[in-house]
Amino acid sequence: MSQLPAGYMKYLEGRSDDFVETVRPVLLQSAADGLYGVRVVANEPHALQALVDDRIPFGTIVEDID
């Protein structure tokens, strides 16, 4: 799937290019599987990680800090 659901696209609106480059591939993976949502974790001021999380319902994005 090369297109993201509308909610995922809205989440990326207004974000920096670096943020989008980090998060978009994981959003695409989530959309392709259609099973689980995404957790976006800020580990430090400039460290960002995104992952598909089986505890989050599909279509949902949860921001977290570590």
Side-chain angles (χ1 to χ4, degrees):
M1 171 181 258
S2 61
Q3 291 294 324
L4 292 172
Y8 285 6
M9 292 296 293
K10 184 168 178 65
Y11 178 77
L12 294 176
E13 286 179 7
R15 304 288 185 149
S16 71
D17 290 342
D18 289 339
F19 185 94
V20 172
E21 287 177 20
T22 300
V23 174
R24 189 172 189 277
V26 180
L27 296 179
L28 285 168
Q29 178 185 355
S30 169
D33 295 342
L35 298 173
Y36 307 115
V38 174
R39 181 174 306 276
V40 177
V41 180
N43 293 319
E44 298 173 9
H46 300 291
L48 182 68
Q49 180 183 18
L51 54 114
V52 175
D53 189 324
D54 63 359
R55 297 169 292 177
I56 300 172
F58 173 70
T60 302
I61 300 169
V62 174
E63 291 185 342
D64 205 357
I65 56 172
D66 188 30

